[in-house]
Amino acid sequence: YDEATLEQPSALVLGSEAHGLLPELVEAADVLVTIPMEGPTESLNVAMAGTVLCFEALRRRRHGGGARPANRLDAPAPRAAGCTTR
């Protein structure tokens, strides 16, 4: 996920933890992304994996796709990030 281009509009297609994606979806994908795991963890559930990918995409869009600074939840989201604030 740290090498994938997430700064542009994208569609995330997530497969089930047990079975992954259907072969035809894998074949149609432009990029396949994995989230590396350390230690004894086997995998993330699909909701958590989607959350990690969406957060990373938003973080990069906030910073214009340049250097990837450390995560800052308090950083304001520019309009170009596709976010709205209330």
Side-chain angles (χ1 to χ4, degrees), residues 11-31:
L12 297 177
V13 180
L14 304 168
S16 73
E17 189 176 2
H19 304 290
L21 291 172
L22 295 172
E24 51 270 21
L25 291 175
V26 172
E27 190 173 313
D30 294 324
V31 177

Side-chain angles (χ1 to χ4, degrees), residues 39-54:
T41 304
E42 292 181 20
S43 64
L44 295 174
N45 69 40
V46 70
M48 184 56 67
T51 299
V52 168
L53 293 173
C54 287

Side-chain angles (χ1 to χ4, degrees), residues 43-76:
S43 64
L44 295 174
N45 69 40
V46 70
M48 184 56 67
T51 299
V52 168
L53 293 173
C54 287
F55 183 87
E56 179 65 13
L58 177 59
R59 185 174 73 87
R60 291 188 198 178
R61 291 172 188 184
R62 283 181 171 165
H63 298 286
R68 296 185 182 109
N71 290 329
R72 283 197 51 212
L73 295 177
D74 60 343

